[in-house]
Amino acid sequence: MEVAAKRSRAAGGSAPDRLSALPDDLRRRVLSFLSSRQSVRTTVLSKQWVDLWRSVPAINLYSLEFERERKRNNALRKMNDFTSKFLMLHNTECLDVFRLHIPSYIRYYHPRLDVHRWIPRGIKYQPLVIEIYAHQSVIPCLGSAFHRLKKLDLSDLSLDHSFSERLNSGCPVLEDLVLDGCSNEFAGGIQSDTLKNLVVNYCRSDVAVALVVRAPCLASLCFKFGVSQKGQTILVGSLFNVISLTLEGFGATAFLDKELDNFPTFDNFRTLSLMRCPSSKSDVQKFKALGRFLQKSPNLEKLTMQHFWYSEGTERKALKCDQPFLETVRPVVGPIEFPVLENLRNLFLNKCDLRDNFRILRHLLQSSPNLETLTVWCCELPEGPAEGKGRAKSRSLNLVCCQCNKLKSTEIIYKKGGKVQELVNFLLDISHSAPENKMTLTKV
């Protein structure tokens, strides 16, 4: 307490300065949650804060702070000067975080920003986490600068041919990798012995036809990547070690390709999320592709399907207008082979089309004898029965007997004005085999 009192009096204020009385390490920790510009501004608090920003274990540089100035050219000139001086004067052995966020339009209109100098200066402190959002910038090769790196988050960067090799050999403890909108110029795929979580969003490549992932410890993958159908098959086939998988926009042929038979069964799959896939102009192909993929995932516990539509053209129209109303719904014909998913406990249908007599819902319920939780979120529903006809139409549509004896919770979230009665009738018809099922309806 005496030390704290002395430090408070040294600050020159009559009231106790409890913040300045904190240990230096704790105050550095507090400053690490601020942007670098804000941390420098704390020098006006007292003499004890003058040089503290130099040794903060986090560098957070955001162009947005400078864009708020009235004159953009002057603001960006200030940012250029501030960032260059800050990185030159900052002095710490190692960083916990290095963040640099500069949107693409800033780089486009102001290409003279010294980003190519800022990135190496930040990385040389061997950070645990790197987050860089800088249009067409390049990650330099700095020897052992990545040996402590655990998370790498890159947005809108250009990744050269050596990125794949450096990822495997230069990042021995990397666990999380996020590539968002990057230009991939490497052909070696993503290989890491320690990688656990991988996110690839809308990256582009003129070099690699297929992206191969070799990561024996990979537990979670979120993939949104425009590659060829053959490349999609190769990618999916290489993910047999993944526990949680999210795919978006994959075509039906990626799952129907015979090449998929050459890969092991996805025995580790526990959670699967499919967004706008399998996509195909043929409804039969969609269902067959889904059934085949589920056959390769025998231990699946949670399945999420989002934007499962019947017509590719109307799907694009619905997404563009943000009002998913189909003009026509084509019936699904032909035999559909869905496996029995003994371990499936949770089923989540999000903004799917159920107007074809709940076709996808029927198949999944029939194949999930141990299902416990069902959620239907803002799906397109068929028209309700005419007044006076009651539930006769619903019973006539119940073509398949769904034995979900262990179903405990059914939640229906529907939009205002939605025709939910037909779905309720359908689920009530199968509830006789699930006495513990509790149905909840929520209007949004």
Side-chain angles (χ1 to χ4, degrees):
M1 295 298 294
E2 293 181 0
V3 175
K6 291 181 180 179
R7 299 183 70 172
S8 298
R9 288 193 296 270
S14 57
D17 185 1
R18 293 187 175 89
L19 191 59
S20 296
L22 294 174
D24 289 346
D25 289 341
L26 185 55
R27 287 187 292 147
R28 291 190 188 96
R29 177 64 176 169
V30 173
L31 291 180
S32 66
F33 292 98
L34 302 178
S35 69
S36 296
R37 193 185 192 192
Q38 291 173 333
S39 66
V40 172
R41 287 176 173 175
T42 60
T43 57
V44 301
L45 296 178
S46 70
K47 294 181 180 180
Q48 298 177 25
W49 293 82
V50 171
D51 293 324
L52 199 62
W53 62 270
R54 296 174 183 263
S55 54
V56 173
I59 295 178
N60 302 308
L61 299 167
Y62 306 102
S63 64
L64 182 61
E65 287 187 296
F66 297 87
E67 290 182 68
R68 294 169 182 168
E69 304 284 345
R70 291 184 178 180
K71 295 182 179 180
R72 173 170 290 183
N73 290 334
N74 293 338
L76 293 175
R77 190 179 300 111
K78 287 182 179 180
M79 178 187 178
N80 202 48
D81 295 341
F82 170 83
T83 304
S84 298
K85 292 179 180 178
F86 178 88
L87 292 173
M88 186 180 299
L89 297 175
H90 195 275
N91 184 21
T92 185
E93 292 185 3
C94 296
L95 280 178
D96 291 338
V97 180
F98 172 64
R99 294 188 180 97
L100 177 62
H101 289 201
I102 304 176
S104 57
Y105 66 89
I106 296 293
R107 292 296 311 279
Y108 181 80
Y109 289 107
H110 301 275
R112 295 183 179 180
L113 291 177
D114 296 331
V115 179
H116 63 285
R117 297 181 181 178
W118 301 342
I119 294 177
R121 288 179 181 176
I123 293 177
K124 74 176 183 179
Y125 294 111
Q126 304 172 3
L128 294 173
V129 176
I130 295 178
E131 294 182 11
I132 300 178
Y133 177 18
H135 180 64
Q136 293 299 307
S137 297
V138 178
I139 297 295
C141 181
L142 297 177
S144 61
F146 301 97
H147 78 279
R148 299 175 65 244
L149 186 63
K150 289 191 174 182
K151 180 179 179 180
L152 180 61
D153 189 337
L154 306 178
S155 296
D156 205 17
L157 267 69
S158 179
L159 307 178
D160 59 20
H161 63 280
S162 62
F163 177 78
S164 178
E165 181 180 352
R166 279 184 285 161
L167 194 66
N168 186 39
S169 59
C171 306
V173 295
L174 183 66
E175 296 181 355
D176 298 277
L177 175 62
V178 179
L179 303 179
D180 190 355
C182 294
S183 176
N184 299 341
E185 304 303 328
F186 58 91
I190 296 176
Q191 183 174 352
S192 173
D193 296 331
T194 58
L195 191 64
K196 296 181 180 179
N197 302 291
L198 173 62
V199 177
V200 182
N201 290 335
Y202 305 113
C203 294
R204 54 200 179 276
S205 176
D206 296 330
V207 177
V209 177
L211 179 64
V212 179
V213 178
R214 298 185 181 91
C217 296
L218 192 65
S220 176
L221 171 66
C222 179
F223 199 85
K224 306 171 186 177
F225 191 27
V227 297
S228 64
Q229 298 292 332
K230 192 72 173 181
Q232 292 179 1
T233 302
I234 296 175
L235 172 65
V236 171
S238 67
L239 302 176
F240 51 86
N241 285 322
V242 176
I243 297 175
S244 177
L245 176 64
T246 299
L247 297 177
E248 179 174 350
F250 273 52
T253 55
F255 306 108
L256 295 173
D257 197 305
K258 293 183 179 180
E259 182 74 20
L260 196 62
D261 294 332
N262 298 328
F263 295 96
T265 303
F266 308 119
D267 292 328
N268 291 339
F269 271 7
R270 296 296 184 271
T271 302
L272 176 62
S273 179
L274 300 175
M275 302 173 62
R276 289 187 280 273
C277 67
S279 60
S280 173
K281 294 182 179 180
S282 168
D283 296 338
V284 176
Q285 293 290 87
K286 274 189 173 185
F287 276 83
K288 286 185 176 181
L290 177 60
R292 187 160 185 258
F293 193 36
L294 294 178
Q295 286 177 351
K296 300 278 289 185
S297 313
N299 298 319
L300 198 62
E301 296 178 358
K302 181 178 180 180
L303 174 62
T304 299
M305 299 198 63
Q306 184 172 348
H307 292 298
F308 188 87
W309 296 86
Y310 292 108
S311 174
E312 191 178 70
T314 49
E315 176 185 348
R316 287 197 298 266
K317 180 179 178 181
L319 293 175
K320 182 178 180 180
C321 300
D322 198 26
Q323 294 181 350
F325 295 104
L326 297 181
E327 297 176 355
T328 59
V329 178
R330 296 178 295 161
V332 177
V333 295
I336 307 297
E337 297 182 2
F338 270 58
V340 177
L341 302 172
E342 296 284 352
N343 297 316
L344 190 64
R345 299 292 188 271
N346 299 282
L347 176 60
F348 187 5
L349 299 183
N350 184 4
K351 298 180 181 178
C352 297
D353 180 28
L354 302 180
R355 294 193 293 172
D356 190 17
N357 301 344
F358 313 108
R359 180 73 64 170
I360 182 63
L361 181 58
R362 291 172 185 276
H363 282 300
L364 293 173
L365 290 179
Q366 185 186 17
S367 305
S368 310
N370 296 316
L371 189 68
E372 296 179 356
T373 303
L374 170 64
T375 304
V376 181
W377 182 287
C378 296
C379 293
E380 279 300 301
L381 304 174
E383 296 290 336
E387 186 177 355
K389 293 185 179 181
R391 294 173 55 191
K393 183 178 179 181
S394 175
R395 290 195 182 98
S396 66
L397 294 177
N398 194 11
L399 305 176
V400 180
C401 182
C402 304
Q403 298 294 335
C404 300
N405 301 329
K406 298 182 180 180
L407 190 62
K408 298 179 181 179
S409 174
T410 300
E411 185 176 9
I412 303 174
I413 297 93
Y414 64 100
K415 294 181 180 179
K416 184 178 180 180
K419 306 291 185 179
V420 72
Q421 185 61 47
E422 192 69 10
L423 176 61
V424 173
N425 292 342
F426 167 72
L427 293 175
L428 286 176
D429 283 344
I430 67 172
S431 292
H432 66 277
S433 61
E436 298 182 6
N437 183 33
K438 180 181 179 181
M439 187 179 300
T440 305
L441 278 74
T442 305
K443 184 189 297 185
V444 294

